[in-house]
Amino acid sequence: MENREFGAGPATPVPHRGPVPPRHHAGPVTVTGLAVKVVVLGLTVGIAVWAAFPLVDAGAWAGLTLLVAATAGLCYLYLTRRYVPAKYLVPGTLFLLAFQVLPVLYTVATAFTNFGDGHRGSKQEAIVAIQTASVTQVPGSTEYALAVATTGDPATGPLVFLLTDPATGTVSVGDAGGLRQLAAEDVTVDAGGRVTAARGYTLLTIGQAGARSEEITNLAVPTAGGAIRSAGLSRAYEGKAQRTYDAGCDCIRDAESGKVWTADADLGAFVAADGERLAQGWKVGVGFQNLTRVVTDPNISGPFLRTLIWNLCFAVASAGGTFALGLLCALALHSPRVRGRTIYRVLLILPYAMPSFAMLLVWRDMFNTDFGLLNNLLGMHVDWFGNAWSARAAVLLVQLWLGFPYMFLVATGALQAIPAQLTEAASVDGASRWQSFRRITLPLLLVALSPLLIASFAYNFNNFNAIYLTTEGAPFPADNPSVGATDLLITYTYRLAFGGQGAQYGFAAAISIFIFTLVAIIAAVTFRRTRQQEEVYS
Amino acid sequence: MTAVAPPRDRTDRGGPSAGPRRAHRSWVSEVGWRHLVGLLAVAFSLFPILFVVSAAVNPLGTLSSTGLVPSGGISGENFANLFARTAFGRWFLNSVLVAGLASAASVFLSALAAYAFSRMRFLGRRIGLLSLLLIQMFPQFLAIVAIFLIFSTVTDLWPEIGFNTPFGLILVYLGGALGANTWLMKGFFDTLPREIDESATMDGASHAQVFFRIMLPLVTPILAVTALLSFITTINEFLVASVFLTDTEAKTLAVGMYGLIDGERNNNFGIFAAGTLLTAVPTVLLFQFLQRYIVSGLAAGAVKG
């Protein structure tokens, strides 16, 4: 996909096109350039062909069309002499579109649905799941001889049941998608009718099956009247569904109790007259409900506002604190009279070279109540992460340690770029050292470094690792286990989306839209201000 | 990391031109406070590292028995256990492969884009630059559910670039390449005088020759800095990697070592500390290798943002 048409050999002479060459004209074609181009485009086409086969096998015609169009577009772009800027922009943009823009758009779309645990698939999938889950063995159920097999690796591959019907002796393969009969010549069965080998499937040994017994117990093969489930590792039964779907009333009816749950298209769930909901629902659009819930639901808006304020403080204090300490160190070492500056600088940069994920965990363990270094050294037994304020101070201290070496490096570079004449002139005019720092050095530094400070703010605003790898949001108030004192919006969202209380992707996505808007507004305002500043000082 | 010493210091403080007034200043107010700040900062920056070193050589290997200085003797047992009991060697190779390939490719992709944004004028240039800034601010990992779903399909179709492979992870990291680095690099390209490439164009160089033969060598400092920053970010990336890599053999250092300390945080601490020190090795080597560019590159990037 890259375009390297530079020539190693002498460039071929260019015919003169006029007094002024056109802006980004295509230039001469060199032999090496052409060769590199052909090789790279050939590789691209090769990769596309390789990628096409699975698409054909899966019958994914839309995907195939996209692939062919993209490949053809790339070839055209790099063979034509026009569209020079696009030649440089397209490679990165393709990755950006596929792996960043597309997921972001998908997330935004999710924010308007109830996607999450219990609301993952379509209504039909929910009905099948409800019926299958209610299957029980009743007298007279058909019993099958069962062999557990997989199409992939015995330890991780998808499981299937190979079932032999005792009456007819036919063998079928079943998974969560349903039952499918196998041709007799593809399978070998033993005297008891149990399958011992089947083409295209790997049978699990007793040990392998034992290791995955939970999955085997949970696997139910839906059939017309119910489902087939395993009873042990060698027998299976076809049970009857207690709860069945009735298309006439668009409801689920329990055969035993006679209770009826009617489909509610707004909620994406089956609801009974007494308000009871079945756990299995389906995905529906909910409009702006997720977004308004952040504001209107007092259980959410209160913690949300508190988290937002702490989040802002955390980002400002992290960016500001690291900058202040880094700048102080840079100023202190910015003098030829300080001996050993090189060794100071090397030692100060060391934290930056350490792996931050590991050092966050090390810091977490230094704050450990029972074994931690801090309590050992101080001879105390303080639960640092147990109190809201000490926990907040602790995470800020950790951020200071992780971040100041970078600011020190950057500030050192920026200090060296400030002309010495400026401060010299100030001191000749009688300015004190503080005055010349306050009035000359600092403003110049801020102009140079404010884009970095904004970037640092934006980064820390969403600094997931800083919280997740240390306090994990603790301490949590007794009445609300879903949001803790050190939680940032992003760790809070993560807990909503993946936490133990059941995934709520739709709601989590709504909060991520909030976060995005906030950061974007703050950044836009600050960028505008720094641009004005730059105009003033330059 | 030793290249920080500037070619010449241009402060007035204590310089010969500072005038006779300065000579009366005591050494303490002139130089002493600088050493004090330096020493305190070094102490702050070193003590957690000292703790890690002490834990790594602690033969007991537990958190509770580790102090700031190794008191219970020194042994290499933790390092031996690290390789014997975990797949640390594999994690290390995976991390270096992923971070190395991803940062190299991401620097190349963003250099291409930065060249176009800096040197060419085309429809959608401003909008393109602004949207890069905006997209970068969307916390990418919040899209993790979407990325997971997309890659579930990819794994079904092309297992070679799906879950539990380094290449799937690299592809996702490359999605963030333009947003993270293009602005920094464009700023640096902007500082190069246009006359350089214009004269080359007049002499008959193609746009690609200008880019590869003239511009790229001139922006080496910022390439080095971007590569280093991107390498550090990638090797520390935890969240996406933890979703993608579940097989022990496929894990990167961040995922593997998190699992090490997750359950047994007291007992495995020595092994974990040994792993932490070894994880720092590639970064330090890269620092060493790129050191002469680091300060100038960071300063220029900082100025232009």
Side-chain angles (χ1 to χ4, degrees):
Chain A
M1 271 182 264
E2 303 122 30
N3 173 45
R4 308 174 183 226
E5 45 184 326
F6 61 102
T12 45
V14 186
H16 255 285
R17 290 195 186 113
V20 181
R23 197 159 269 282
H24 43 82
H25 68 140
V29 175
T30 60
V31 177
T32 346
L34 198 65
V36 171
K37 196 186 256 189
V38 166
V39 168
V40 173
L41 279 182
L43 272 176
T44 311
V45 173
I47 291 174
V49 169
W50 168 81
F53 281 109
L55 284 174
V56 172
D57 285 348
W61 305 120
L64 192 67
T65 317
L66 195 67
L67 181 73
V68 171
T71 317
L74 278 175
C75 288
Y76 173 70
L77 177 62
Y78 289 108
L79 290 175
T80 175
R81 289 165 71 95
R82 302 169 60 200
Y83 310 119
V84 175
K87 290 183 209 284
Y88 289 88
L89 291 171
V90 160
T93 313
L94 277 183
F95 285 103
L96 186 75
L97 286 177
F99 300 115
Q100 201 145 26
V101 175
L102 189 67
V104 165
L105 291 181
Y106 188 95
T107 310
V108 171
T110 309
F112 299 98
T113 69
N114 62 352
F115 187 44
D117 276 356
H119 299 276
R120 284 173 187 274
S122 66
K123 186 175 177 182
Q124 196 51 44
E125 284 165 346
I127 291 169
V128 170
I130 291 169
Q131 290 184 346
T132 314
S134 71
V135 163
T136 45
Q137 191 166 13
V138 289
S141 293
T142 320
E143 290 219 6
Y144 296 90
L146 166 73
V148 183
T150 175
T151 49
D153 182 74
T156 54
L159 291 176
V160 296
F161 285 167
L162 297 175
L163 302 156
T164 316
D165 190 312
T168 62
T170 54
V171 176
S172 306
V173 58
D175 55 23
L179 208 57
R180 202 172 65 254
Q181 198 168 328
L182 287 181
E185 63 266 24
D186 284 345
V187 291
T188 328
V189 289
D190 65 11
R194 197 164 172 259
V195 175
T196 51
R199 187 193 305 222
Y201 298 95
T202 316
L203 265 68
L204 267 64
T205 63
I206 299 284
Q208 287 163 345
R212 303 181 70 179
S213 61
E214 197 177 332
E215 286 172 74
I216 294 170
T217 316
N218 287 336
L219 181 60
V221 181
T223 57
I228 301 172
R229 309 192 76 131
S230 62
L233 294 176
S234 59
R235 282 185 324 111
Y237 62 87
E238 178 173 0
K240 259 182 82 72
Q242 287 295 311
R243 293 173 177 178
T244 46
Y245 177 69
D246 183 345
C249 63
D250 195 15
C251 63
I252 298 273
R253 182 171 281 122
D254 193 305
E256 206 165 300
S257 64
K259 194 167 176 179
V260 170
W261 292 267
T262 317
D264 184 329
D266 292 334
L267 293 172
F270 290 101
V271 188
D274 59 6
E276 191 206 354
R277 261 198 229 185
L278 288 179
Q280 293 287 351
W282 61 98
K283 188 170 129 183
V284 290
V286 294
F288 288 90
Q289 196 184 313
N290 285 326
L291 290 165
T292 50
R293 207 176 130 197
V294 178
V295 185
T296 52
D297 188 338
N299 285 330
I300 291 163
S301 60
F304 185 85
L305 198 64
R306 239 181 306 133
T307 311
L308 175 62
I309 292 170
W310 155 244
N311 203 152
L312 285 169
C313 295
F314 173 82
V316 169
S318 295
T322 52
F323 176 66
L325 184 58
L327 178 61
L328 179 68
C329 296
L331 280 174
L333 298 180
H334 188 62
S335 160
R337 287 180 63 187
V338 178
R339 290 195 187 184
R341 271 177 302 160
T342 316
I343 185 82
Y344 273 127
R345 283 174 175 161
V346 171
L347 293 178
L348 285 180
I349 299 168
L350 262 188
Y352 193 47
M354 299 295 285
S356 69
F357 74 90
M359 291 313 289
L360 282 167
L361 294 168
V362 167
W363 273 98
R364 178 188 78 178
D365 288 340
M366 290 204 291
F367 282 113
N368 186 305
T369 313
D370 299 318
F371 321 110
L373 178 75
L374 287 183
N375 280 344
N376 279 354
L377 283 183
L378 301 171
M380 298 197 298
H381 197 265
V382 180
D383 185 4
W384 298 97
F385 294 163
N387 173 290
W389 289 107
S390 66
R392 285 173 184 157
V395 290
L396 283 176
L397 183 75
V398 177
Q399 279 312 297
L400 186 66
W401 185 84
L402 282 174
F404 93 91
Y406 175 71
M407 289 295 184
F408 166 70
L409 266 182
V410 169
T412 303
L415 273 179
Q416 284 165 13
I418 294 178
Q421 294 92 318
L422 291 180
T423 40
E424 272 165 26
S427 90
V428 169
D429 287 348
S432 73
R433 265 194 311 186
W434 170 250
Q435 281 173 325
S436 88
F437 169 73
R438 180 71 191 76
R439 302 269 170 213
I440 296 170
T441 315
L442 190 62
L444 282 174
L445 272 181
L446 281 181
V447 170
L449 298 183
S450 48
L452 266 190
L453 280 173
I454 298 167
S456 165
F457 170 85
Y459 172 79
N460 278 305
F461 195 87
N462 289 322
N463 197 335
F464 177 79
N465 279 7
I467 302 300
Y468 188 73
L469 297 182
T470 54
T471 63
E472 295 185 49
F476 293 94
D479 57 335
N480 189 352
S482 70
V483 52
T486 54
D487 253 329
L488 300 181
L489 288 175
I490 203 139
T491 48
Y492 171 57
T493 317
Y494 181 79
R495 201 170 302 119
L496 281 180
F498 301 100
Q501 301 174 338
Q504 308 178 45
Y505 300 127
F507 185 49
I511 294 193
S512 42
I513 293 181
F514 265 101
I515 299 178
F516 173 64
T517 320
L518 276 171
V519 181
I521 290 174
I522 295 171
V525 170
T526 353
F527 257 111
R528 185 160 290 216
R529 280 204 50 200
T530 52
R531 179 145 310 166
Q532 285 163 356
Q533 246 182 357
E534 214 156 350
E535 277 156 16
V536 170
Y537 288 110
S538 63
Chain B
M1 287 195 295
T2 50
V4 199
R8 59 199 175 99
D9 247 311
R10 289 178 284 186
T11 39
D12 62 331
R13 285 164 205 149
S17 65
R21 195 166 52 88
R22 291 289 164 91
H24 302 299
R25 289 248 166 108
S26 68
W27 182 87
V28 173
S29 77
E30 200 50 44
V31 185
W33 72 273
R34 297 172 185 276
H35 280 292
L36 186 68
V37 170
L39 285 175
L40 285 177
V42 166
F44 178 54
S45 81
L46 281 194
F47 94 92
I49 298 176
L50 210 62
F51 178 63
V52 174
V53 174
S54 151
V57 298
N58 180 358
L60 291 175
T62 59
L63 175 59
S64 48
S65 65
T66 301
L68 254 195
V69 280
S71 49
I74 288 176
S75 88
E77 211 177 307
N78 287 325
F79 291 90
N81 278 338
L82 180 67
F83 284 96
R85 279 173 32 196
T86 72
F88 187 80
R90 275 306 295 263
W91 300 342
F92 196 90
L93 286 181
N94 290 339
S95 268
V96 171
L97 178 76
V98 169
L101 281 180
S103 57
S106 119
V107 167
F108 180 69
L109 290 180
S110 33
L112 285 175
Y115 174 60
F117 279 127
S118 168
R119 284 305 198 256
M120 301 169 190
R121 295 294 174 269
F122 49 90
L123 197 68
R125 175 175 172 276
R126 263 186 68 81
I127 295 196
L129 276 170
L130 276 177
S131 5
L132 276 186
L133 204 64
L134 272 181
I135 291 169
Q136 184 198 358
M137 275 169 207
F138 194 90
Q140 190 196 7
F141 97 80
L142 283 178
I144 191 84
V145 179
I147 293 181
F148 178 81
L149 292 173
I150 291 173
F151 266 83
S152 305
T153 317
V154 169
T155 311
D156 286 344
L157 289 171
W158 307 285
E160 294 85 354
I161 55 166
F163 292 132
N164 285 316
T165 68
F167 300 105
L169 198 57
I170 290 175
L171 285 178
V172 173
Y173 290 155
L174 285 186
L178 281 197
N181 305 325
T182 308
W183 272 82
L184 189 69
M185 285 208 203
K186 176 192 165 284
F188 205 88
F189 274 105
D190 285 345
T191 63
L192 300 176
R194 268 175 169 274
E195 287 75 29
I196 298 179
D197 41 311
E198 272 167 11
S199 68
T201 313
M202 292 294 260
D203 288 346
S206 70
H207 59 86
Q209 282 172 321
V210 171
F211 176 69
F212 285 102
R213 306 299 257 335
I214 297 171
M215 300 297 271
L216 273 195
L218 285 174
V219 296
T220 323
I222 204 69
L223 293 184
V225 170
T226 338
L228 181 73
L229 292 181
S230 152
F231 186 87
I232 292 178
T233 316
T234 318
I235 211 164
N236 282 314
E237 204 285 326
F238 172 72
L239 194 95
V240 179
S242 71
V243 171
F244 267 59
L245 311 172
T246 46
D247 283 358
T248 311
E249 291 285 295
K251 283 179 179 171
T252 56
L253 286 167
V255 183
M257 282 172 55
Y258 182 74
L260 198 61
I261 203 171
D262 198 26
E264 286 275 336
R265 68 196 269 190
N266 186 25
N267 292 336
N268 281 339
F269 192 71
I271 301 184
F272 178 79
T276 305
L277 287 182
L278 291 180
T279 307
V281 170
T283 317
V284 171
L285 285 182
L286 199 64
F287 245 121
Q288 200 65 35
F289 180 61
L290 300 175
Q291 54 158 309
R292 58 205 172 98
Y293 306 115
I294 301 288
V295 165
S296 61
L298 276 177
V303 172
K304 284 297 171 184

